[in-house]
């Protein structure tokens, strides 16, 4: 019998099966039309059956009353992302109070069919059956996501859309899209065309992760037009997913400063986006004209992304240029600020006030806690759990993404065959232990933890095959950690994951097998930046000192 991943809150199965046939009917309440269309689309691709969609407030079956039917009904009593799923020998009944809940009902239903339901072409020999079962479910956290860095290596629009499909398959509802950094600017801004004309392309790229690594001597770049962004946002919304954009400031600024040197500090400005990995000293200056520039950028971003949150980064911002620049020091005196940490807080606060004036919420990495956090700001807690503790205790909302647990670009074993091994070893089992809520929080404080996300930085992910390898099956483990209510056991999860791998195979996902990389996934001999568990603990203690 097929099992579900993530594990549902309740599932009861009895003898018998439902068999989908070419004469089946599909009907839906008008509020749930989008999920019904997605179900129709997937079943047509996999089975070849064309199930016409009938729309009616009662979602009554259409056509032959004796034909097997699938119905989507509205049930206002269910939680916003909750759903009901009931299959009998004659039909399937899905219920939800929102279209997003109905999307998750559809995803659960697809998992009850044979794994070939995820293929892109019909399989004539498959019997399209589901067990007779009843499922009642709702997620534990409202924020269940993944961050995709499209700066270090650009992902064409088609690859982003494919990744969105994989998020939806796992009932993840948020795509955090990292769009700007030192190495590139990936979103068209109409009023500032040089951001992509200059900032969208770098002359070469560092190979490997070790300090002093060679570069490849090949240009790399690309960007999304505003029409591309509209397509990505619309495609995600049609699958129950919100896209949260990230525009980095005040650090990680070299691509922007290369395009518009007046945004930088001092006279020696970069002429291209950065070709190396790591932390770059280039930072935005703190003039009013630069604040105005960035607010203009964000105005266009806001118009493209309906997300209530706009991420402004705020991480890994060395302040050496501010310390050494006479004009910046003069500006600090004008503003009555005592040090550069307060200056960063002022900078972030100005941007946050502009976002608030446009009805949006500021989201930033946990470094924005240093120097004081702007009212209404929310925090991405990546440096362990200290940021989550500090922000939640201060009454700020938190999205947890600790690097020691859910950084999926980190290596999956100590095998020499791991491609460009970086970071600490993060196994599927380790990812499954993810709990966004620190145990030290009391219930009132814990309510500020919105959920969590996995992060995929792409310094060493230069293709969709590489993304598949890094993300899966670990992202499936993270999805269950963020969805499933109650006690979880890896021993109970593991056999369901093994079954789930057949679905990933059918969907064409080149995930990492449990016994190590496949031959074509191996890239031995490329050095990486790795850390032992002890080194990782010392590293986290050092970088969280300012927050604590």
């Amino acid at each position: 019998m097929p099992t579900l991943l993530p594990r549902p809150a309740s599932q009861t199965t009895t003898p018998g099966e439902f068999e989908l046939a070419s004469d089946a009917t599909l009907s839906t309440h008008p509020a749930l039309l989008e999920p019904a269309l997605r179900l129709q689309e997937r079943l047509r691709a996999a089975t070849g059956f064309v199930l016409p969609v009938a729309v009616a407030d009662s979602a009554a079956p259409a056509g032959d009353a004796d034909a097997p039917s699938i119905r989507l009904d509205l049930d206002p009593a269910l939680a916003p992302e909750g759903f009901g799923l009931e299959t009998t020998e004659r039909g399937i009944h899905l219920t939800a109070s929102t279209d997003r809940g109905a999307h998750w009902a559809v995803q659960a239903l697809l998992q009850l069919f044979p794994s070939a339901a995820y293929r892109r072409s019909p399989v004539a020999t498959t019997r399209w059956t589901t067990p007779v079962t009843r499922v009642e479910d709702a997620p534990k956290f409202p924020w269940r996501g993944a961050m995709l860095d499209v700066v270090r290596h650009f992902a064409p629009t088609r690859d982003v859309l494919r990744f969105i499909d994989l998020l939806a398959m796992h009932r993840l509802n948020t795509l955090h899209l990292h769009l700007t950094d030192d190495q590139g600017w990936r979103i068209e801004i109409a009023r500032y065309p040089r951001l992509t004309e200059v900032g969208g392309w770098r002359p070469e790229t560092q190979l490997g992760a070790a300090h002093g690594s060679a570069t490849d001597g090949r240009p790399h770049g690309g960007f999304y037009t505003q029409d591309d962004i509209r397509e990505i946002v619309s495609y995600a919304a049609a699958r129950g997913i919100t896209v949260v954009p990230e525009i980095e400031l005040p650090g990680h600024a070299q691509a922007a400063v290369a395009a518009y040197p007046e945004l930088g500090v001092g006279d020696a400005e970069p002429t291209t986006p950065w070709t190396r990995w790591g932390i770059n000293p280039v930072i935005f200056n703190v003039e009013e004209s630069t604040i105005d520039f960035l607010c203009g950028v964000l105005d266009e971003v806001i118009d493209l992304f309906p997300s209530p949150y706009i991420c402004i980064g705020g991480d890994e911002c060395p302040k050496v240029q501010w310390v050494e620049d006479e004009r910046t020091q003069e500006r600090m005196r004008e503003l009555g600020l005592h040090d550069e940490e307060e200056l960063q807080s002022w900078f972030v606060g100005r941007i946050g006030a502009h976002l608030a004036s446009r009805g949006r919420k500021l989201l930033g990495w946990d470094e924005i806690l240093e120097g004081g956090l702007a009212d209404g700001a929310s925090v991405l807690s990546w440096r362990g759990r200290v940021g989550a503790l500090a922000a939640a205790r201060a009454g700020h909302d938190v999205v947890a993404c600790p690097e020691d647990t859910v950084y999926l670009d980190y290596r999956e074993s100590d095998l020499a065959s791991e491609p460009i091994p970086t970071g600490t070893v993060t196994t599927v089992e380790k990812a499954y232990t993810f709990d966004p809520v620190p145990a030290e929080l009391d219930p009132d404080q814990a309510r500020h933890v919105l959920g969590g996300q996995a992060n995929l930085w792409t310094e060493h992910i230069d293709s969709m095959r590489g993304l598949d390898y890094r993300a899966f099956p670990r992202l499936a483990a993270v999805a269950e950690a963020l969805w499933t209510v109650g006690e979880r056991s890896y021993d109970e999860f593991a056999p369901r994951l093994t079954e789930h791998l057949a679905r990933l195979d059918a969907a064409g996902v080149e995930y990492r097998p449990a016994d190590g990389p496949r031959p074509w996934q191996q890239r031995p001999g490329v050095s990486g930046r790795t850390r032992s568990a002890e080194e990782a603990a010392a590293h986290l203690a050092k970088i969280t000192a300012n927050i604590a």
Side-chain angles (χ1 to χ4, degrees):
M1 183 193 77
T3 59
L4 298 180
L5 192 158
R7 191 192 75 212
S10 171
Q11 181 175 8
T12 304
T13 302
T14 57
E17 66 180 22
F18 166 84
E19 183 170 2
L20 185 70
S22 59
D23 62 344
T25 63
L26 176 57
S27 53
T28 183
H29 188 281
L32 307 181
L33 177 59
E34 195 68 61
L37 293 175
R38 299 285 74 76
L39 178 58
Q40 179 198 46
E41 175 184 69
R42 176 93 311 271
L43 291 177
R44 175 187 288 183
T47 70
F49 302 158
V50 181
L51 277 62
V53 177
V55 180
D57 286 348
S58 63
D64 186 352
D66 293 328
S69 67
I70 303 176
R71 297 187 292 131
L72 283 75
D73 275 336
L74 196 66
D75 183 351
L78 293 173
E81 291 192 79
F83 65 88
L85 187 166
E86 184 174 11
T87 66
T88 68
E89 293 182 357
R90 294 303 304 159
I92 295 172
H93 189 206
L94 308 178
T95 54
S97 64
T98 66
D99 63 346
R100 181 171 272 183
H103 278 296
W104 310 144
V106 166
Q107 293 299 331
L109 173 60
L110 291 172
Q111 291 188 0
L112 294 176
F113 283 110
S115 59
Y118 292 94
R119 290 176 57 92
R120 296 184 180 182
S121 57
V123 184
T125 58
T126 300
R127 289 185 66 240
W128 295 102
T129 62
T130 74
V132 172
T133 190
R134 181 180 179 87
V135 176
E136 295 177 355
D137 205 5
K140 184 174 184 178
F141 293 103
W143 188 298
R144 308 180 309 281
M147 187 283 300
L148 179 61
D149 167 24
V150 294
V151 173
R152 277 47 178 260
H153 282 101
F154 178 66
T157 299
R158 64 179 180 274
D159 289 346
V160 178
L161 302 185
R162 178 180 180 270
F163 190 61
I164 288 169
D165 282 332
L166 294 174
L167 296 185
M169 179 180 179
H170 294 84
R171 291 183 243 159
L172 295 166
N173 65 4
T174 304
L175 172 60
H176 171 180
L177 204 55
H178 182 79
L179 290 164
T180 74
D181 215 300
D182 294 305
Q183 295 85 2
W185 187 283
R186 304 287 178 232
I187 178 172
E188 177 188 25
I189 302 298
R191 71 188 75 182
Y192 303 124
R194 286 177 58 84
L195 286 172
T196 48
E197 291 171 359
V198 175
W201 307 88
R202 61 177 181 264
E204 57 186 1
T205 299
Q206 177 178 332
L207 295 171
H211 181 72
S213 295
T215 52
D216 62 6
R218 298 183 299 173
H220 178 84
F223 64 92
Y224 305 106
T225 67
Q226 295 199 358
D227 282 343
D228 290 332
I229 294 294
R230 292 185 187 98
E231 180 181 8
I232 289 168
V233 169
S234 174
Y235 190 91
R239 286 152 181 81
I241 293 170
T242 300
V243 184
V244 177
E246 179 175 355
I247 305 296
E248 278 273 13
L249 57 92
H252 288 288
Q254 179 157 327
V257 174
Y260 291 94
E262 64 270 23
L263 302 176
V265 177
D267 298 326
E269 303 299 349
T271 57
T272 70
W274 205 27
T275 61
R276 311 295 301 184
W277 311 136
I279 299 176
N280 188 318
V282 175
I283 189 171
F284 289 119
N285 67 47
V286 292
E287 301 296 339
E288 287 297 322
S289 58
T290 297
I291 298 291
D292 290 343
F293 182 102
L294 293 171
C295 288
V297 168
L298 291 170
D299 282 340
E300 294 194 26
V301 170
I302 287 167
D303 289 341
L304 292 168
F305 293 89
S307 163
Y309 293 91
I310 305 293
C311 185
I312 55 81
D315 61 308
E316 296 179 333
C317 180
K319 302 172 180 64
V320 175
Q321 287 190 337
W322 283 353
V323 170
E324 296 178 349
D325 179 61
E326 291 184 7
R327 171 56 188 158
T328 302
Q329 295 301 308
E330 178 185 0
R331 187 87 169 107
M332 285 172 55
R333 290 190 292 272
E334 292 173 358
L335 296 169
L337 303 175
H338 298 93
D339 57 31
E340 288 73 24
E341 300 299 338
E342 288 189 6
L343 182 58
Q344 176 168 332
S345 181
W346 170 86
F347 196 112
V348 170
R350 287 290 304 275
I351 298 298
H354 182 74
L355 292 176
S357 74
R358 295 291 311 272
R360 304 303 178 90
K361 301 175 184 178
L362 181 147
L363 177 69
W365 302 97
D366 57 38
E367 286 93 333
I368 67 173
L369 288 161
E370 300 164 12
L373 190 56
D375 290 343
S378 299
V379 172
L380 289 158
S381 179
W382 72 276
R383 298 182 296 180
R385 301 185 184 278
V386 177
L389 285 167
R393 285 170 172 165
H396 292 273
D397 288 342
V398 175
V399 176
C401 47
E403 68 157 332
D404 61 343
T405 311
V406 292
Y407 269 47
L408 302 190
D409 50 301
Y410 282 9
R411 72 192 195 275
E412 300 182 55
S413 76
D414 282 325
L415 292 174
S417 56
E418 290 290 354
I420 313 184
T422 59
T424 51
V425 172
T426 301
T427 62
V428 176
E429 185 170 4
K430 186 175 183 181
Y432 189 74
T433 67
F434 180 37
D435 184 351
V437 182
E440 299 92 327
L441 295 177
D442 65 36
D444 286 339
Q445 296 165 343
R447 279 194 282 271
H448 286 289
V449 180
L450 304 177
Q453 65 182 37
N455 292 337
L456 286 150
W457 301 102
T458 60
E459 288 92 338
H460 313 299
I461 301 174
D462 58 4
S463 68
M464 202 63 195
R465 299 182 86 179
L467 184 66
D468 281 1
Y469 175 85
R470 294 294 197 190
F472 295 101
R474 292 183 294 182
L475 191 56
V478 173
E480 178 149 314
L482 293 171
W483 178 279
T484 299
V485 177
E487 295 296 323
R488 293 182 290 112
S489 162
Y490 185 77
D491 289 340
E492 186 276 333
F493 170 76
R496 286 188 293 108
L497 178 61
T498 299
E499 181 182 326
H500 187 67
L501 296 180
R503 299 175 187 131
L504 296 180
D505 284 327
V509 178
E510 298 190 69
Y511 57 86
R512 181 191 186 278
D515 58 356
R518 298 177 172 97
W520 64 88
Q521 293 171 329
Q522 298 176 11
R523 293 166 68 181
V526 181
S527 60
R529 176 181 53 81
T530 61
R531 292 197 298 264
S532 67
E534 293 75 16
E535 290 169 332
H539 168 73
L540 286 173
K542 180 179 178 180
I543 65 177
T544 57
N546 287 337
I547 295 177

